[in-house]
Amino acid sequence: MDEKAFEPESDRVVRRLRDEIIDGVRRPGERLVERDLADELGVSRVPIRDALRALVADGLVTPRPRSWAVVREFTAGDLADLNEVRSAIEPLVFKLAAIRRTTDGLHRLRAIVDDEIAAAERADAARARRAAADFHEAVTELAANDLLVQMQRPLRSRLRWLLGQHGDLLAVAEEHRELYRAIADRDVRRVQVLVGEHLGRRPGSAV
């Protein structure tokens, strides 16, 4: 059964707008006007209003007076802040994932890596970048630390956006494959080396 068939309208609108912002369909600085979005998506203004509030909370949208907002334009300072947070959290996340990974978790992680590599090889940038972000979220789940998950939840959309700013799709996918292999081998030392190299790529630095 398709769970999305029973998804509340406001959740569906949030998911669509969030994906379009993260995928770059809606560009930084673009106006998001309740009336126009309602007409475009074929819904009332109520779920649009709720969606804009949610996207403001996600850090992807900047509110404006009355009934509109704009897609957030991330500054160099914003990018530096996000990269600093990643650099502080991800080494621990990957270390714990290597120690605590499960068979089921590894199967899911391998499927994501395979999907990312296949998308990168056919130059499907949107799918490859989504899979890259999925990879990092799956590793967080493997870390099996509820507090880490809670800490990252308010930053999830911004981090997914950040992870979508890289241009070398295949190189990133290959780095993820190497990280997967090290996690599968429970090679903590290798994981830490690879994470350091991966963080050195710093997506968004050229934006």
Side-chain angles (χ1 to χ4, degrees):
M1 185 179 296
D2 185 359
E3 294 181 0
K4 289 182 180 178
F6 299 95
E7 186 178 31
E9 191 169 61
S10 58
D11 291 351
R12 178 175 60 82
V13 172
V14 170
R15 178 171 52 80
R16 174 166 171 176
L17 292 177
R18 181 187 291 124
D19 286 347
E20 289 178 349
I21 292 171
I22 290 172
D23 291 345
V25 176
R26 297 187 187 272
R27 305 294 297 170
E30 181 177 335
R31 289 167 57 100
L32 301 174
V33 181
E34 284 184 16
R35 179 185 63 255
D36 296 342
L37 289 172
D39 290 343
E40 177 186 342
L41 302 181
V43 298
S44 72
R45 292 176 66 168
V46 173
I48 299 297
R49 191 173 302 124
D50 292 341
L52 292 181
R53 289 196 192 102
L55 294 170
V56 168
D58 280 351
L60 296 178
V61 161
T62 303
R64 290 291 183 262
R66 298 178 184 172
S67 59
W68 64 289
V70 296
V71 177
R72 180 172 178 174
E73 298 186 70
F74 285 89
T75 67
D78 293 330
L79 296 173
D81 289 348
L82 285 169
N83 278 311
E84 285 175 357
V85 170
R86 283 190 68 215
S87 296
I89 293 177
E90 288 204 346
L92 174 60
V93 169
F94 277 83
K95 176 183 176 180
L96 293 178
I99 294 169
R100 299 174 178 174
R101 93 291 190 280
T102 62
T103 300
D104 287 346
L106 284 176
H107 287 329
R108 178 168 180 261
L109 197 61
R110 177 58 185 269
I112 291 170
V113 170
D114 288 347
D115 184 42
E116 182 183 358
I117 289 174
E121 288 177 341
R122 63 176 183 269
D124 185 343
R127 189 173 183 89
R129 287 168 178 158
R130 284 193 187 190
D134 289 343
F135 176 84
H136 283 263
E137 290 182 5
V139 172
T140 300
E141 291 178 12
L142 281 181
N145 184 303
D146 289 342
L147 183 56
L148 276 173
V149 173
Q150 292 170 20
M151 289 171 60
Q152 287 190 314
R153 189 171 293 132
L155 298 172
R156 180 179 176 182
S157 293
R158 275 171 282 185
L159 288 172
R160 286 189 74 90
W161 178 88
L162 178 71
L163 291 165
Q165 300 309 300
H166 67 271
D168 199 338
L169 304 177
L170 195 55
V172 171
E174 291 290 352
E175 289 178 11
H176 286 167
R177 178 154 58 185
E178 290 304 308
L179 280 163
Y180 161 79
R181 289 170 175 165
I183 290 170
D185 291 340
R186 283 202 169 100
D187 189 341
V188 174
R189 182 172 297 180
R190 177 68 173 156
V191 165
Q192 290 177 319
V193 170
L194 291 172
V195 168
E197 294 172 353
H198 192 56
L199 287 170
R201 184 173 289 276
R202 302 188 73 79
S205 59
V207 175

